[in-house]
């Protein structure tokens, strides 16, 4: 498979087969998903030793556990005897896992601790130390937990690169700018959508211009204040410039806004007096703590390939989990500031539920788009014609950005498909055979 079968970088077009072909999908699993680092959860989901929950690395189910020493482990959830899931609970607390097929048991760190009638059946010869659950490499970054089974992958920090390290750290700062300032609320929201995983990924990577889809919900003003818009930053009067950051060598992307000056708090989160007061104090603390850098408002992005996030007051991190070329499972973690009063957490919980997920009014618009677009990628005649990614092509790097915003930054007066081009350029180089 040649690069030109997938993408025309000069022309800014992408084949529709990229979304519909099962062969391309198989290549993605091996060359994109198996080689990358995967977001698997957050340390706030494991407050006590013995806590565990199930997560995913691409198509693999993993156990994320905190062992007796307090260390975090990510284990392939596949018994070494016949492959049954060693753990069948979504989450819990215990001192290990017992496979329900023949009863092999494993510690929280994956070590094989018990085999029924070990002495008689194996004459004591089974080398138990070699038959523990397969352990992933693990990285914890400001509370977020990441894993990979690829021995040859770079360290997580190198995988992120300097720009994405800055943005991921910023994403995980609370509204007052404190590092690792969030905790996960509730469980993980999970649902399936009949479309290719990349429709969601490219939307979060760079699509700042599909407000057209959300006009009806925009008019309902589902934002936190209930006053304007579906976003809670829409009332802010200081000019914000659309800002796009892409790492073409790694495929990571950010959508953000940069305020022209330090913006005063504008009651944009005034759901109630208590909530407003929390956000006002947090806003001021963040400006004191971060100074000029507090002009940054992260809106969303993708850590290549399939970890996506939303910010700007409703911080979520999620996964586009590939099931087949035309089917995706979406997982989403909802974050609330850990130092906030309960009124704030509860207000955010309600905001998330009306905004995102299978029942969310905004996300339903997106899912309708992606599932209908999937049919356009699959049908006999329409699949011959590539998709167009030419928006603002050649207009990258129009402004000289502040250095702290990163290397490959585009600040625009309007929108661009710069980020989508970077995402797909990197994706296609991995999927195609080296020429
Ligand atoms: S499959 Fe797990 S003990 Fe046999
Ligand atoms: Fe959307």
């Amino acid at each position: 498979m040649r690069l030109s079968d997938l993408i025309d970088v000069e022309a800014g077009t992408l084949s529709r087969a990229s979304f519909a072909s099962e062969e391309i999908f198989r290549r993605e699993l091996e060359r994109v998903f198996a080689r990358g680092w995967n977001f698997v959860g957050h340390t706030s989901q494991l407050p006590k030793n013995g806590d565990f929950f199930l997560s995913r690395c691409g198509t693999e189910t993993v156990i994320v556990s905190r062992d007796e020493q307090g260390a975090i482990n990510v284990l392939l959830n596949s018994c070494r005897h016949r492959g049954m899931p060693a753990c069948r609970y979504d989450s819990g607390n215990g001192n290990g896992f017992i496979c329900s097929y023949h009863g092999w048991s494993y510690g929280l760190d994956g070590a094989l601790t018990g085999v029924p009638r070990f002495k008689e059946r194996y004459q004591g010869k089974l080398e138990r130390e070699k038959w523990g659950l397969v352990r992933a490499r693990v990285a914890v970054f400001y509370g977020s937990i990441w894993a990979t089974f690829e021995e040859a992958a770079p360290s997580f920090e190198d995988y992120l690169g300097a720009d994405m390290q800055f943005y991921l750290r910023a994403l995980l700062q609370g509204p007052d700018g404190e590092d690792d300032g969030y905790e996960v609320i509730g469980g993980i929201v999970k649902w399936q959508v009949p479309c290719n995983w990349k429709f969601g990924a490219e939307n979060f990577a760079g699509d700042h211009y599909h407000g057209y889809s959300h006009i009806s919900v925009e008019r309902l003003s589902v934002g936190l204040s209930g006053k304007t818009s579906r976003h809670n930053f829409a009332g802010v009067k200081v000019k914000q410039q659309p800002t796009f950051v892409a790492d073409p060598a790694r495929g990571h992307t950010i959508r953000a806004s940069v305020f022209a000056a330090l913006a005063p708090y504008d009651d944009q989160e005034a759901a109630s007096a208590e909530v407003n007061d929390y956000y006002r104090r947090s806003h001021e603390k963040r400006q004191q703590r971060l100074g000029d850098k507090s002009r940054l408002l992260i809106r969303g992005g993708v850590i290549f390939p399939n970890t996506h996030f939303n910010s700007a007051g409703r911080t979520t991190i999620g996964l586009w989990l590939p099931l087949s070329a035309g089917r995706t499972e979406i997982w989403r973690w909802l974050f609330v500031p850990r130092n906030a009063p309960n009124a704030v957490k509860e207000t955010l919980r309600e905001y998330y539920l009306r905004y995102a997920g299978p029942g969310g009014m905004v996300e339903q618009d997106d899912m309708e788009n992606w599932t209908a677009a999937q049919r356009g990628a699959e049908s006999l005649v329409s699949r011959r014609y590539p998709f167009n990614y030419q928006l603002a092509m050649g207009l990258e790097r129009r402004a000289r950005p502040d250095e702290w915003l990163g290397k490959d930054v585009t600040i625009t007066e309007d929108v661009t498909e710069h980020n989508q081009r970077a995402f797909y350029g990197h994706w296609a180089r991995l999927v195609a055979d080296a020429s």
Side-chain angles (χ1 to χ4, degrees), residues 165-221:
Q165 284 182 45
F166 169 74
Y167 285 98
L168 181 57
R169 177 179 173 183
L171 176 80
L172 296 164
Q173 284 164 348
D176 59 2
E178 188 180 358
D179 275 328
D180 188 7
Y182 281 97
E183 64 189 16
V184 170
I185 191 170
I188 306 166
V189 185
K190 303 172 182 173
W191 74 104
Q192 292 189 3
V193 187
C195 69
N196 187 271
W197 66 275
K198 294 190 292 303
F199 280 115
E202 72 152 68
N203 178 288
F204 274 63
D207 196 330
H208 236 34
Y209 48 89
H210 71 284
Y212 191 69
S213 284
H214 298 308
I215 287 174
S216 57
V217 78
E218 196 74 37
R219 288 189 181 146
L220 282 174
S221 301

Side-chain angles (χ1 to χ4, degrees), residues 297-319:
L297 176 78
I298 297 179
R299 298 174 64 149
V302 172
I303 297 173
F304 193 85
N306 66 329
T307 302
H308 60 275
F309 52 87
N310 247 325
S311 185
R314 51 166 206 287
T315 301
T316 68
I317 301 183
L319 297 171

Side-chain angles (χ1 to χ4, degrees), residues 45 60 77 97 110-111 121 128 143 192 228 244 264 272 287 291 301-302 306 309 326-327 344 384 398 409:
Q45 294 176 271
E60 308 298 325
N77 189 18
F97 312 100
R121 291 178 181 171
R128 281 187 291 191
Q192 292 189 3
T228 52
F244 298 87
S272 70
Q287 291 195 338
V302 172
N306 66 329
F309 52 87
R327 196 155 191 93
V344 170
R384 297 177 198 150
R398 277 195 299 194
V409 180

Side-chain angles (χ1 to χ4, degrees), residues 79-84 99-104 106:
C79 177
R80 295 293 303 280
H81 182 232
R82 285 296 178 281
M84 271 285 286
C99 177
S100 59
Y101 198 172
H102 311 92
W104 284 25
Y106 300 93

Side-chain angles (χ1 to χ4, degrees), residues 257-321:
S257 295
V258 174
F259 289 100
L262 288 187
Y265 185 68
D266 199 14
D267 292 335
Q268 65 266 33
E269 273 125 343
S272 70
E274 189 178 6
V275 172
N276 203 35
D277 189 49
Y278 170 78
Y279 278 106
R280 178 186 304 284
R281 281 185 283 112
S282 298
H283 184 89
E284 285 157 9
K285 269 191 217 154
R286 181 168 181 265
Q287 291 195 338
Q288 284 159 12
R289 199 173 248 143
L290 303 180
D292 193 42
K293 292 181 185 160
S294 65
R295 290 190 294 121
L296 174 70
L297 176 78
I298 297 179
R299 298 174 64 149
V302 172
I303 297 173
F304 193 85
N306 66 329
T307 302
H308 60 275
F309 52 87
N310 247 325
S311 185
R314 51 166 206 287
T315 301
T316 68
I317 301 183
L319 297 171
W320 312 108
L321 292 166

Side-chain angles (χ1 to χ4, degrees), residues 25 41 58 60 152 180 213 222 256 266 287 305 326 343 348 354 356 370 387 399 418 421:
F25 179 76
E60 308 298 325
D180 188 7
S213 284
V222 299
D266 199 14
Q287 291 195 338
L348 282 171
R354 68 179 178 262
W370 305 334
F387 287 154
H418 173 69
R421 289 189 287 271

